[in-house]
Amino acid sequence: MSLGSATEFSAAQDPLPDETGHGSGTGFWALTLGSVGVVYGDIGTSPLYALKESLHAAAGGSHAPTREMVFGVVSLILWALILIVTIKYVLIVMRADNDGEGGTPSLVALAQRALGRSGGAVVGLGMVGIALFYGDAIITPAISVLSAVEGLKLATPAFEPYVLPLSLAILIGLFAVQSHGTARVAIVFGPLTAFWFLVMALGGLSHIADEPGIVAAFNPAHGIDFLLGHGTAGLLALGAVFLAVTGAEALYADMGHFGRTPIRTAWFGLVLPALVLNYLGQGAMLLAHPERIENPFFLLYPSWALLPMVLLATVATIIASQAVITGTFSITQQAMQLGLLPRMRVQRTSETEKGQIYIPRVNWWLLIAVVLLAILFKSSSALAAAYGIAVTGDMVITASLVFVVAWRYWRWPAAVVGLVIAPFLLIELVFLSANALKLLHGGWVPLTIGAGLVVAMWTWRRGSALIVAEIHRRRVPLSNFTRMAESGSVLRAPGTAVFLTGTPGDTPGALMHNVKHNHVLHARNFILHVVTDDLPRVQSAGRVTVKPLSNVFSCVTVRFGFMELPDLPRALAGAGFDPDTLSYFLTRRVLVASPETGMSVWQDRLYIAMARAATDASRYFCIPADRAVEIGARFDI
């Protein structure tokens, strides 16, 4: 599942494509081709392992598949592509755009807006969805690269000892270049991935003649009969079948980057036909040559083409992994803006390309997790057991949130929403149950990662709320303080001071301490509050608002969308402020664990550890170091 990278630095930049793909300054067909590389990279590598792992699960891993198994599994894969990807995501879920954007954080914001911000359960679902995404993001690069490099073993068994070291080298190299950005290489992602889909289609088409009867797999009865007749083995195979639709979330998540229509055009015009032909070709070949179950994808091609196909597959998996890594940066930024994760340093790697961001801490933690996972499981087959739970869980979350949006935001009748959404939710719950059978064989990995992240997000959200409540409790009203400060004998210093606050209407701690200890008040003082809107981006005209309180004090509100980088100096400069005359005053919180503040002590300690690891507010808001003054304050939590 790839969320891709759809973030934009400022609303003042080029406008995003609308639902038809226009309005971005980029041609429709260029957007369509670009979506092939970014949106469909993950699902495009699924044929490397999806059918093989499904048949291994059905046959117990040690036997050649029967005709019934081949027809049944191919039928299940085809109908998963039709029902889940085509109907659910391409035709329904992509309607749920939040100002043109998609993805779990966007959907959470949309559902919150529909519920009037009263949806605590919606936030909880969003946390689970984001956490499962991280679990998926760790597995995707490992399984994709391993499955591609494993094709070398077909050329000669002598390559087998080098599969894991070579895969690790590719993964390390991939993460090592992230800080340079992907703008220069992204332009070739689309053409290379399109070529990959064409080669997959040709490989499948060349073998359908082995057993033309494979087209009968379009009859869903084959899949249903297979499930009913194979008991637990059928459910295990069903869990592996879901590998064929990994990456479906990317259609929705990258909607803001490419536009709805280009993504749909790429799906119906190239991606879906290529996938269908490849799976049909693999099935037909296995009906004629069951012994090729070892690696049916690469065996579609003649021996002379094996090494070129391994190279092409490796490139395709690198592109798919790149989209997942970049998507991790994107969703992390959104989660920070929504208050679910502590601040981390975000770097832009391109001045022109939307979504070109880099978060060093996330990159290196992700690399460590991916490398450990590859070393622990050693093969794509072992990793396949861990893959499905994260993807199916995330899709169940999406279906649940879309149910809320359709009912409360689109104002569909509840009965209609139930008839449209409930069948997909039921299907995905069945897939989730099937994948749960693999819990002890690797499925625990994404669940453990996800559970840890949910606890961390919940603790951060709860702890931050307690801090805000404590700040509000101990501070004096801003109106009272301004009257007192202006009427007193406080010295006036030349210049303009900006005091950041998270609770507008209250006096910032830095302002109180500055007056109390330094006995100084600047000639002009701005009480600045940053607001993260439910919209992905805020238009420049409404970003900064100023409300004068007196000749000395004014309240400033700066709004950012949850997909924007919060650059305060740039935002203020755009509103007419001179950035060279501003001094920023911030409060540095000293946190102390206390059993009496509303959270358990272990949660207090977790929150404090996360707060200490968080990026300083000055760096997060892009405030120059020589213009930031931090004043300490103790808080019990």
Side-chain angles (χ1 to χ4, degrees), residues 127-189:
M127 288 182 184
V128 175
I130 292 170
L132 289 174
F133 163 74
Y134 278 105
D136 174 35
I138 291 170
I139 299 173
T140 294
I143 191 174
S144 298
V145 173
L146 277 170
S147 62
V149 178
E150 283 169 353
L152 291 172
K153 294 189 296 185
L154 297 178
T156 170
F159 279 119
E160 184 165 2
Y162 303 101
V163 168
L164 182 58
L166 182 57
S167 299
L168 293 177
I170 292 172
L171 290 168
I172 293 171
L174 179 61
F175 282 92
V177 301
Q178 292 302 311
S179 61
H180 300 288
T182 58
R184 295 180 180 177
V185 296
I187 194 170
V188 301
F189 281 8

Side-chain angles (χ1 to χ4, degrees), residues 230-252:
H230 286 78
T232 302
L235 283 177
L236 289 171
L238 185 65
V241 162
F242 212 80
L243 296 172
V245 297
T246 57
E249 287 277 340
L251 280 72
Y252 177 50

